[in-house]
Amino acid sequence: MKQIFIVLILISLITTGYTGNPIENFPIDKLQEGPKLQQGTAAMKIQELKKKGFLHDMAKDSYHSKKMVKEAQLILRNMVEEIERNYPNLNQEQELAILKRSIENFNALSEKDNNDIDTLAREQIINEMERIITTSGFKTNITIIDKWRTW
C-alpha cells in the first residue's frame, strides 16, 4: 500500500513538472487511448478465463461424476463465449439474459438423471460465475441468480 502511494506521488510530480502546472506538451492522444487499452485488457482477461477453464477442484475430486463436471464446465464456457461475442457492448438487459440462460442450463443439468447439484458444487459453480461476471465488468450482482436457480 505504501509503495502504491509513493508511486502515485511520483507520477503526480512528474506530470506536473514539479511546479504544480501540468506539462504543456503532454501528448493528449495518449489519454484518448486509455479506454481502448482497458477494453483490450478486459477482453484479454475474458479470453484467459476460457483458457484456464473452470471447476478444477470438482474435476479433481472423485465425488462428482466426470460427466456432470464436464457438462457444468461446458455451460460456463458457453457463458464466457456469449459474453465474448457481445463484448464490450453488453447492456444490463443482455447481462441478465446471459446469466438467466446459464442458470436455466444448470437447472436442466441438476434435473437431468437425478444429477442434483449439491452444496459443494453449487458454491464452486456460483464462485466461477461470479469470477466471470466480475472479469467481464457486469454491473449485475450475482445474487440475482437466486430467483432463477432451482438447485
Side-chain angles (χ1 to χ4, degrees):
M1 187 68 163
K2 189 176 182 181
Q3 293 171 337
I4 293 172
F5 182 72
I6 292 171
V7 169
L8 290 173
I9 290 174
L10 286 173
I11 290 171
S12 175
L13 289 172
I14 291 169
T15 59
T16 58
Y18 302 102
T19 64
N21 298 324
I23 298 173
E24 293 176 5
N25 295 328
F26 190 80
I28 298 298
D29 59 76
K30 296 294 182 198
L31 291 176
Q32 294 169 349
E33 289 176 14
K36 289 180 188 170
L37 293 174
Q38 288 174 354
Q39 287 175 0
T41 302
M44 287 172 27
K45 287 180 182 177
I46 293 168
Q47 290 174 349
E48 280 298 311
L49 283 174
K50 257 186 6 186
K51 286 180 188 174
K52 289 182 181 179
F54 309 100
L55 304 173
H56 296 292
D57 291 340
M58 279 178 60
K60 290 178 193 172
D61 72 32
S62 58
Y63 181 73
H64 298 98
S65 77
K66 300 297 177 195
K67 182 180 177 188
M68 190 273 266
V69 172
K70 288 211 177 293
E71 288 181 28
Q73 289 171 326
L74 181 62
I75 292 169
L76 293 169
R77 183 177 178 85
N78 288 342
M79 179 181 173
V80 170
E81 287 175 351
E82 188 172 358
I83 292 167
E84 200 173 31
R85 278 191 304 273
N86 296 294
Y87 189 83
N89 300 319
L90 287 169
N91 60 37
Q92 194 163 16
E93 185 177 311
Q94 292 167 314
E95 291 174 5
L96 289 171
I98 291 170
L99 274 174
K100 186 174 183 182
R101 246 187 315 280
S102 300
I103 291 301
E104 288 170 346
N105 288 332
F106 277 112
N107 289 346
L109 176 62
S110 180
E111 294 169 11
K112 183 179 174 184
D113 302 325
N114 293 326
N115 203 10
D116 190 35
I117 297 176
D118 64 12
T119 303
L120 180 61
R122 179 175 55 245
E123 288 176 8
Q124 290 184 40
I125 290 167
I126 290 173
N127 285 341
E128 291 285 23
M129 291 183 81
E130 187 168 28
R131 185 169 64 109
I132 291 167
I133 68 171
T134 300
T135 301
S136 304
F138 277 30
K139 293 156 195 70
T140 304
N141 189 309
I142 191 69
T143 58
I144 189 98
I145 68 170
D146 290 336
K147 71 181 192 179
W148 306 308
R149 186 172 59 81
T150 60
W151 37 274

